[in-house]
Amino acid sequence: MNYAQHADALVRHLAIMPFRDRLAQIAPEAVDPDIEVSVIEQAAQFTEGSLESVAGMLDRLGVTVVDGRATTSVTQIDAWRAFCEMGWLSMVAPEPYGQGLSLALLTACEEIFNRASAPFCMLATSTRTAASLLTSCGSQSVIDEWVPRLLSGEWSATICISEPDAGSDVGRIRTQAKCGEGGWHVTGEKCWISYGDHDLTSRIGHLALARSTDSVGVRGLSLFLVPSTREDGSANAVHLRRVEEKLGLHCSPTCQIGFEESEAVLLGQEGRGLQTLFQMMLLMRLNCGPQGMGVASAAFATALGYAQDRKQGGPADKPPVSIVEHTDVQRQLLEMAAVVELGRGLNFAAANALDLGARCPDPEEARRWTDLAQFLLPLVKDGAARAAFDVSSAAVQVLGGAGYTCEWPVERYLRDARVFSVFEGTTGMQALDILHRRVWRDNRAGIDAFVAAIADDSRDCSALVDAIGSLNAASDALCDLVTTPQEGEAGAFAFLELCRSVAYGWIAARIVKLSGDDPAGRRMSAAADYYLAGLPTRARAFAEEATLGAQRLAGFAAYLEH
């Protein structure tokens, strides 16, 4: 699948994506087919011409530390400048800062960019989402100073949450913020910071959670903007401690950073740092969708092309056949295609729900859309993360020994993708989020909202109806376990898989009904039909596993014995 075909598939998905009609009613300027086609074609042309050719080099060159600073390659600096000059950072920013385009269109473009180089795109994600956050919670002076420069790519931003002893457990953050005569100052250590230090931009704004009160847990946390340099250009006591050596994502410097009474600006209300940061976290979690599907689409395209060219097998007295003619290879490729097409469609559904939550003038309707988005985002995040790795692994299988060598890019995709299901919340955390919040805390209101949203699309699809029945039964059973949480948590992962399977089935049903009969539509329908054929069996299995309880884990204690 070349970039032109990739663009065609994305345009078709946008045309049939869920909730498009409602978004067009509320924000018609954000849903324009001509603009969508033009922008996606430009993204494909730019990526194929400027990013695809240097992606392997970026992986090989990586990042070095020179005189205490993370230093990228000239190749990466040139690529970043070209990316920024095209205006890709400001697509969804409201006027006068950007074009105000839809999150779904941004999602389509980001999938194309990530297909070429996921680590390159990570700086764009944190910078763009930081600009959105500052627009909503920064003072006018902060907005005027930072937002235009972030969206132009002159400056960049990070999100600083994790610490050496407090990763996802944010209530244990120890970084301190003190307010004195000179304003706020932040002191502490932060780790796992993507692009925490680099030479691609002249200034970096660190959005850091720090403890500003004596309250324990998340209530004592506030959000601060900590610039890498002061207004006069001098260093702001923000120190690079180390750059991690990693399995993949080599051109994305993952840094440990030390703040030593660094000058800072409070964002939002003191003591509500996590709530203030939440908007940026939602947008970054949404970005995990096109990130994962971009890598998955790259791996699938490589495997499909290789299988058509590689000749092996068939009658010994005749020329060998392309391996794509072998039944099991077709199965593998259709499995890969299904994951890509359905995950892609779910990305657009979540993007639209999140967009509607922000744009709806009616607060009650906006809340409903936001609630739906919060149910879909764990499915998007974890589904895309694991799709990137699983499809890349399957591509290695299709290529055979060739796929294990550096001659082909699938080994790079596999290395880059492994961490996707770890950052932005691990698979287990996504599963517990669905169980604790959408089933127990909300008394399955999130599940009911999702089932209601997909009801119309399920009427003519018996496989989806069957899967929804499995979801409802498992949800009811898990609701009964709210007073014995360990019993329910033992099946949380299987329940996450069940929810994602039903969500993919929903997208598949829409594709079969709406995608059309041209080459792009037939490719999408083939993947959707394949997935729907196995959906009822898959859903029933996940539903049963989700409700097995904790007894099957009892034997684990033996591994703790000395």
Side-chain angles (χ1 to χ4, degrees), residues 188-219:
E189 301 292 318
K190 295 290 184 179
C191 60
W192 310 120
I193 311 303
S194 298
Y195 284 93
D197 189 59
H198 58 84
D199 56 358
L200 296 171
T201 65
S202 60
R203 200 180 193 193
I204 305 171
H206 301 288
L207 299 176
L209 283 177
R211 193 163 298 284
S212 63
T213 73
D214 294 332
S215 299
V216 298
V218 299
R219 293 183 179 181

Side-chain angles (χ1 to χ4, degrees), residues 99-137:
Q99 296 78 51
L101 299 175
S102 69
L103 284 175
L105 181 55
L106 173 67
T107 295
C109 293
E110 287 190 327
E111 182 179 313
I112 293 175
F113 302 146
N114 278 282
R115 172 177 171 171
S117 177
F120 173 85
C121 296
M122 293 172 70
L123 179 60
T125 298
S126 58
T127 299
R128 174 181 53 78
T129 55
S132 176
L133 175 70
L134 293 179
T135 302
S136 67
C137 72

Side-chain angles (χ1 to χ4, degrees), residues 251-467:
C251 75
S252 170
T254 303
C255 304
Q256 182 170 334
I257 297 172
F259 300 122
E260 298 179 1
E261 296 191 7
S262 310
E263 294 181 9
V265 177
L266 176 67
L267 297 175
Q269 297 180 27
E270 186 180 358
R272 293 184 58 81
L274 196 59
Q275 294 88 334
T276 305
L277 191 58
F278 191 59
Q279 174 194 349
M280 183 176 179
M281 294 169 66
L282 286 179
L283 291 173
M284 293 189 72
R285 187 166 290 183
L286 176 66
N287 173 261
C288 292
Q291 180 186 62
M293 289 307 164
V295 174
S297 66
F300 171 62
T302 304
L304 180 61
Y306 182 90
Q308 291 172 303
D309 293 337
R310 175 77 164 113
K311 298 186 185 304
Q312 187 173 356
D317 58 345
K318 295 181 180 180
V321 301
S322 299
I323 64 171
V324 78
E325 295 186 27
H326 299 315
T327 302
D328 190 60
V329 174
Q330 294 177 6
R331 176 194 63 79
Q332 292 178 70
L333 291 170
L334 269 176
E335 185 75 30
M336 296 159 73
V339 169
V340 170
E341 295 289 2
L342 305 181
R344 176 181 291 155
L346 190 62
N347 291 348
F348 290 137
N352 275 347
L354 200 58
D355 226 352
L356 284 163
R359 295 177 185 260
C360 270
D362 177 56
E364 180 59 27
E365 183 184 358
R367 184 193 61 76
R368 292 197 300 270
W369 285 116
T370 300
D371 287 347
L372 179 60
Q374 290 180 13
F375 172 78
L376 293 176
L377 283 174
L379 311 182
V380 163
K381 189 276 175 187
D382 188 65
R386 289 193 288 131
F389 185 78
D390 292 346
V391 173
S392 297
S393 180
V396 173
Q397 190 77 12
V398 171
L399 270 67
Y404 196 64
T405 70
C406 295
E407 182 179 355
W408 292 86
V410 290
E411 61 84 27
R412 168 165 55 89
Y413 304 149
L414 191 70
R415 288 187 285 105
D416 285 347
R418 185 59 192 91
V419 75
F420 293 173
S421 61
V422 176
F423 61 39
E424 299 295 330
T426 64
T427 295
M429 291 178 63
Q430 306 301 327
L432 292 174
D433 178 83
I434 290 282
L435 178 64
H436 278 267
R437 297 185 182 182
R438 309 308 158 202
V439 178
W440 288 342
R441 188 190 69 181
D442 299 340
N443 193 27
R444 66 165 285 169
I447 307 294
D448 292 338
F450 169 65
V451 170
I454 70 175
D456 287 344
D457 294 314
S458 68
R459 290 197 175 96
D460 299 323
C461 182
S462 59
L464 181 55
V465 170
D466 194 302

Side-chain angles (χ1 to χ4, degrees), residues 81-95:
R81 288 174 179 169
F83 181 88
C84 296
E85 287 171 1
M86 290 287 291
W88 297 117
L89 287 169
S90 60
M91 282 179 60
V92 298
E95 296 182 351

Side-chain angles (χ1 to χ4, degrees), residues 157-175:
T158 74
I159 183 169
C160 297
I161 300 177
S162 295
E163 298 182 4
D165 296 319
S168 301
D169 191 1
V170 294
R172 299 185 189 276
I173 283 176
R174 295 189 295 179
T175 295

